[in-house]
Amino acid sequence: MKYIQSKLLVVIGLLMGLTAVHGQHLPTSNHRTHQDIPFIQEYSVKYYSSDDTGDLKKVYSDRNGTVQVLGEKWLLRTHAGAFLYPGSFTADKTYLAMKDKNVRNITTVENQFVYLDDKAVFSNAWAGSLYLKHGLSGAVNFAHGEDFSFLVSNGSTIHLVNKEGVSYKGKISGSPVIGITYDKNSGNYYLLAENKLMSFSASSKKLDILTEGTGFTSFALREGKNKIAIGTTDGYFEWNLLSNKQEGSKNKALPWPSLTSLVEINGLLWFGSEQGAFMQKEDGKFNYYLGERWLPGDKVLHISQKNEDEILILTDKGLAKLVFMSQTLAEKAIFYRNQVRDRHIRHGFNATLVQMEKGNINSGRIKDSDNDGLWTSMYLGAEAFRYVTTGSADALQNMKESLDAMERLYTINDIEGFPARSFSRSGFKDQLGGSVHWQDASDPEWVWKATTSSDEVIGHVFVFGVIAELVDNEALRQQAIGLLDQLMTHIVENDWYLIDFDGKHTTWGRWNPEYVNGFPTMVGDRKLNSSNIIAMLQTAYHFTGKEVYKKEAYKLMDKHGYLENLMRPMEGIGKAEEGSDDWAAMLSESWNHSDDEMYFLGYWGLYRYAFTEELKEKYRIAILDHWEAERPEKDGLWNIFGALVDRENFDLEEAVWYLQEYPLDMISWNVKNSHRKDIELLEPNFRNQSTKEVLPPDELKLRRHNGNRFDLDGGNNGKEEYSAGDIWLLPYWMGRYLNVISEPLPE
């Protein structure tokens, strides 16, 4: 977003398409720091129709904020409805006499509701004095002109009506009229049919055909521009009213070109289509609203403005109220903090809400995960950075609870230094995911999950290092250092393996040179495992002082080539060459984004706890090489990690863009983008980058940092809500700690 000091101007700025993050980034201590002033956060409040609602047609709001929907059977009002808590419709019984009115259309004049029925144009505003008989059988369309005059049409005939009565009657040949609008600058009404655009002069009573074509569906007057935008079944074009010519060619490069509705709001075009709604920004690109994150249904019927910061979008399955709220990143962090604590903490773990009924957050349960230790490490890191930055007692207590959960991963089994993936009460063992890996604890009340992987281990080491280095609570520091030492002792004494309950190494807990160097150099696991284990050993040495960790790290680097492995440029990572074994071929089929997460979490210990300045410089080169490869994804966490090694040249604007554009709604709604005509698709490639430019997070499916941000389609039908603990709070609070994001600035 462009930053504007006034909250009011921020809101208006959004509606005018000022959506690129080119904000004011003032220097702090000679470094680039994002100044946290208000930006625009979008969210949707949805109202679902029911079987007895009937077809929906139009939606408007009056000056009182009352929303009224024109339905097939009756006028409707919205009932209840709030963010994350959908509302519904109820018949509007406000005025008893309206029950007998056969309302065919609705609009607003001076922000008051005005109706068209089979007899008249009328309103309940202005003390009910507006009642103009139009005398037109089957009237379905109308528009307000000057001084309470209206042009009314039944498709084939038009009547101009005012306080004196019907002043004009005329016939329309060909396709029926489907829409009417009025231009106060010229004094002309404009009428749209499926095959032509017409003008009607209220003063001369002259009807002219301006242009003809096919497939016209909707139109919008461009205020102050002497143009009309015309939507079709295959894109839109603009007609210049002064030159009476089409401007340029038809624009088909839209998210979806089959248009159903078109309106101008604050100078920008909003489009309804068979596949969602979209707003054209000043740079010509689009904000796209599709799927139940935004809309109850895909087919858009009508769009109107409610007030300066709300847009109403009526669909075939209900109504969406888009709200454009002004907030700071700090305020967004508070919202997410409450989300995590309210429904994403399981025994201290940072967990996902699952088995929800179509987005109903009160219907789900918090689930164990193979990655409980990893997701909790990332959330625990966020709370550690929050505590260090703000001194929050709440953050400290959250840390204690989550670190206790982490510690219990080590104590719930009998294997010294081996962390379980997760633990749970035993009564529901048969219902737990991946039940084959669940083992009975010594206490029959509990079970624990085996087969721990390197994903969990690097997450543990990352957060143990963060706590040990930064947190001024000695009990927590010693707890973290003790767990770190136990874990690394297990790995060193077991020849660089994680040894499970059965005495065998786990599938992924392997850093042994024979395994690591058994991969061809282009297979990513050779570089990744080398980078991770050196980071882990450096972290252990830094906080325990045990020489064994330093000695073994140098042995891996000097004797087994781990330094060469981790320094290998990312451009050399690709598919295993022909003739490689099946394991190497499987691991190198395409780019692994979980590997990215493991790399970057490891970079904390690799860079900050380097044995020497010479090594630190080498690590810096390797980290920046990886970061450069990841730049197209615009992942907020990778960019914040970039600031760890280069405060001046990391992508600050893109990190802020990620944090600002991430949806407040963290529900796994289905999304679709592969059909879009406004994005540039790439040929299949090793990195699975599907488009030239990554789409905003609020137009993509929900995913953690280990997901491919170029996946265009997907979701889980609203059955899950992700925790913000690892996805959003970690990059934000890490950015606050590194002072690349400021505290919220006073207004």
Side-chain angles (χ1 to χ4, degrees):
M1 305 289 172
K2 287 183 179 177
Y3 297 108
I4 307 172
Q5 298 298 323
S6 160
K7 280 192 175 183
L8 174 61
L9 289 179
V10 171
V11 172
I12 295 174
L14 182 283
L15 296 179
M16 294 185 68
L18 308 181
T19 54
V21 179
H22 297 301
Q24 182 183 16
H25 302 292
L26 304 177
T28 300
S29 302
N30 298 318
H31 293 301
R32 295 167 63 229
T33 301
H34 167 71
Q35 302 301 301
D36 190 15
I37 59 177
F39 67 98
I40 295 303
Q41 177 68 58
E42 301 168 71
Y43 65 87
S44 175
V45 178
K46 289 162 289 190
Y47 303 84
Y48 286 87
S49 56
S50 60
D51 292 339
D52 62 354
T53 303
D55 291 341
L56 307 175
K57 297 181 179 181
K58 285 190 175 181
V59 60
Y60 284 101
S61 173
D62 70 1
R63 62 182 298 272
N64 302 310
T66 300
V67 174
Q68 207 166 56
V69 175
L70 176 63
E72 178 184 20
K73 301 177 181 178
W74 45 56
L75 289 171
L76 304 166
R77 294 185 71 160
T78 54
H79 172 68
F83 178 56
L84 298 179
Y85 297 92
S88 58
F89 295 108
T90 184
D92 191 332
K93 302 177 182 178
T94 309
Y95 286 88
L96 178 63
M98 293 293 290
K99 182 179 180 181
D100 295 328
K101 299 292 185 184
N102 184 17
V103 177
R104 305 286 186 83
N105 210 331
I106 183 174
T107 189
T108 56
V109 176
E110 298 178 359
N111 291 321
Q112 303 280 12
F113 291 128
V114 176
Y115 309 100
L116 174 72
D117 71 1
D118 51 358
K119 296 179 181 178
V121 174
F122 68 99
S123 176
N124 294 313
W126 304 290
S129 60
L130 179 63
Y131 190 85
L132 308 176
K133 293 183 178 180
H134 53 67
L136 185 58
S137 175
V140 291
N141 288 299
F142 73 136
H144 171 246
E146 295 294 332
D147 195 25
F148 289 95
S149 61
F150 292 83
L151 189 65
V152 182
S153 175
N154 62 2
S156 60
T157 304
I158 57 173
H159 284 191
L160 184 63
V161 58
N162 53 33
K163 296 176 183 178
E164 281 70 46
V166 177
S167 61
Y168 175 84
K169 298 179 180 181
K171 290 288 186 180
I172 305 292
S173 60
S175 298
V177 172
I178 57 177
I180 308 174
T181 190
Y182 179 75
D183 179 14
K184 62 182 178 181
N185 292 323
S186 65
N188 289 337
Y189 290 92
Y190 294 96
L191 301 89
L192 187 72
E194 292 181 7
N195 64 347
K196 59 191 170 187
L197 173 69
M198 298 162 280
S199 69
F200 174 74
S201 171
S203 57
S204 66
K205 307 298 190 293
K206 184 180 179 183
L207 181 68
D208 293 312
I209 296 175
L210 300 183
T211 186
E212 295 184 280
T214 58
F216 296 172
T217 62
S218 51
F219 69 152
L221 184 69
R222 307 302 309 272
E223 292 290 342
K225 299 178 181 178
N226 294 306
K227 299 177 186 178
I228 285 182
I230 300 177
T232 76
T233 55
D234 188 27
Y236 87 100
F237 65 92
E238 291 191 326
W239 186 262
N240 191 306
L241 297 173
L242 295 181
S243 63
N244 208 28
K245 293 181 180 178
Q246 179 176 323
E247 288 200 351
S249 58
K250 182 187 291 186
N251 185 352
K252 301 180 181 181
L254 308 176
W256 191 248
S258 182
L259 302 177
T260 57
S261 179
L262 190 57
V263 63
E264 182 181 89
I265 299 175
N266 290 340
L268 297 175
L269 287 176
W270 284 76
F271 302 81
S273 78
E274 300 279 352
Q275 292 289 325
F278 38 97
M279 181 264 284
Q280 189 173 41
K281 300 182 288 186
E282 287 188 329
D283 62 4
K285 297 180 180 180
F286 298 92
N287 282 349
Y288 191 31
Y289 307 93
L290 177 65
E292 288 188 79
R293 178 180 299 157
W294 301 112
L295 308 176
D298 290 346
K299 183 178 181 179
V300 175
L301 307 174
H302 187 235
I303 302 174
S304 65
Q305 184 174 11
K306 184 174 186 290
N307 52 43
E308 64 187 14
D309 56 4
E310 295 179 342
I311 302 294
L312 301 174
I313 302 179
L314 190 65
T315 77
D316 56 339
K317 295 182 180 179
L319 172 68
K321 179 176 70 175
L322 299 188
V323 180
F324 300 88
M325 173 179 63
S326 174
Q327 68 172 182
T328 62
L329 288 175
E331 290 170 331
K332 190 170 185 176
I334 292 172
F335 174 86
Y336 281 145
R337 185 178 78 217
N338 293 336
Q339 182 241 27
V340 175
R341 301 310 300 182
D342 180 52
R343 52 188 182 272
H344 289 281
I345 298 298
R346 187 187 73 88
H347 298 314
F349 291 126
N350 175 47
T352 301
L353 199 65
V354 301
Q355 295 181 347
M356 299 193 316
E357 299 170 1
K358 200 174 183 181
N360 181 352
I361 59 176
N362 293 320
S363 66
R365 68 174 180 89
I366 43 179
K367 183 183 182 301
D368 64 274
S369 165
D370 279 5
N371 297 114
D372 272 344
L374 175 59
W375 309 142
T376 303
S377 293
M378 298 173 76
Y379 168 62
L380 185 51
E383 289 298 85
F385 289 129
R386 179 163 77 99
Y387 173 71
V388 173
T389 303
T390 67
S392 165
D394 175 66
L396 184 63
Q397 179 60 34
N398 293 343
M399 288 173 57
K400 290 178 179 178
E401 295 176 9
S402 289
L403 191 57
D404 283 347
M406 298 284 289
E407 181 175 39
R408 197 170 184 214
L409 291 174
Y410 291 81
T411 60
I412 199 166
N413 65 74
D414 297 327
I415 310 167
E416 187 68 27
F418 180 88
R421 284 185 180 271
S422 182
F423 58 78
S424 180
R425 295 192 183 276
S426 58
F428 299 92
K429 182 177 177 180
D430 61 330
Q431 299 178 35
L432 296 172
S435 58
V436 68
H437 300 306
W438 287 96
Q439 306 299 315
D440 293 328
S442 56
D443 182 347
E445 176 72 11
W446 296 92
V447 292
W448 62 277
K449 198 168 192 180
T451 72
T452 306
S453 76
S454 52
D455 303 59
E456 282 72 62
V457 171
I458 194 61
H460 290 207
V461 174
F462 159 70
V463 78
F464 294 158
V466 169
I467 293 172
E469 178 186 358
L470 302 179
V471 176
D472 61 1
N473 183 290
E474 192 59 24
L476 283 180
R477 289 189 68 253
Q478 291 306 317
Q479 187 179 8
I481 293 171
L483 294 172
L484 172 65
D485 192 26
Q486 290 179 47
L487 172 62
M488 294 310 299
T489 297
H490 176 100
I491 293 172
V492 172
E493 292 183 349
N494 286 289
D495 198 21
W496 311 110
Y497 291 111
L498 275 183
I499 301 301
D500 213 336
F501 69 97
D502 56 2
K504 300 177 182 179
H505 64 71
T506 65
T507 302
W508 301 108
R510 295 191 269 179
W511 301 270
N512 182 279
E514 183 179 353
Y515 172 76
V516 171
N517 289 331
F519 290 114
T521 58
M522 75 284 297
V523 176
D525 282 53
R526 181 166 177 161
K527 174 181 171 71
L528 171 65
N529 287 24
S530 298
S531 179
N532 274 186
I533 193 63
I534 298 304
M536 291 153 58
L537 289 166
Q538 286 186 162
T539 304
Y541 173 75
H542 187 85
F543 293 108
T544 69
K546 292 184 177 181
E547 286 295 328
V548 63
Y549 296 131
K550 185 174 184 179
K551 174 186 174 182
E552 294 298 330
Y554 271 107
K555 184 186 295 186
L556 291 175
M557 287 191 288
D558 296 339
K559 182 179 178 180
H560 297 290
Y562 278 32
L563 180 60
E564 180 184 352
N565 288 345
L566 72 86
M567 289 295 297
R568 189 164 287 113
M570 280 293 175
E571 66 180 6
I573 303 301
K575 290 181 179 293
E577 55 196 9
E578 197 170 332
S580 299
D581 61 44
D582 292 343
W583 189 251
M586 183 273 292
L587 290 176
S588 61
E589 288 178 352
S590 62
W591 193 263
N592 189 322
H593 297 273
S594 287
D595 288 357
D596 293 325
E597 187 169 67
M598 294 170 66
Y599 274 116
F600 277 96
L601 291 178
Y603 289 156
W604 180 270
L606 188 69
Y607 184 75
R608 288 178 81 89
Y609 312 134
F611 292 132
T612 67
E613 288 301 316
E614 181 182 5
L615 280 174
K616 192 170 189 177
E617 177 58 22
K618 289 180 181 293
Y619 300 152
R620 187 185 73 85
I621 293 171
I623 294 169
L624 289 177
D625 172 69
H626 186 190
W627 171 78
E628 189 70 37
E630 291 300 308
R631 291 181 76 181
E633 292 196 20
K634 300 183 182 180
D635 184 280
L637 185 55
W638 308 160
N639 279 317
I640 296 297
F641 266 108
L644 184 68
V645 298
D646 191 340
R647 283 292 305 269
E648 297 305 316
N649 298 308
F650 76 105
D651 285 342
L652 174 61
E653 293 81 5
E654 307 299 6
V656 172
W657 174 83
Y658 173 93
L659 293 172
Q660 290 183 344
E661 292 288 332
Y662 217 91
L664 285 182
D665 180 344
M666 282 202 167
I667 295 173
S668 61
W669 294 116
N670 294 345
V671 300
K672 294 183 293 183
N673 287 287
S674 58
H675 62 279
R676 293 174 63 165
K677 310 301 181 185
D678 64 319
I679 57 178
E680 184 176 343
L681 298 175
L682 301 181
E683 293 296 323
N685 53 76
F686 178 71
R687 290 188 62 89
N688 290 328
Q689 181 175 340
S690 58
T691 55
K692 183 177 181 180
E693 293 185 8
V694 70
L695 293 171
D698 61 1
E699 295 180 15
L700 298 170
K701 70 176 183 179
L702 263 294
R703 73 200 73 204
R704 290 185 162 96
H705 298 287
N706 64 342
N708 180 11
R709 297 203 60 248
F710 284 97
D711 284 344
L712 295 177
D713 303 336
N716 193 23
N717 201 32
K719 293 181 179 179
E720 296 179 344
E721 184 190 53
Y722 285 70
S723 168
D726 52 290
I727 294 175
W728 198 94
L729 291 175
L730 177 57
Y732 171 74
W733 283 111
M734 188 176 177
R736 285 286 302 273
Y737 166 71
L738 294 174
N739 198 28
V740 297
I741 299 172
S742 78
E743 63 183 355
L745 300 183
E747 297 180 30

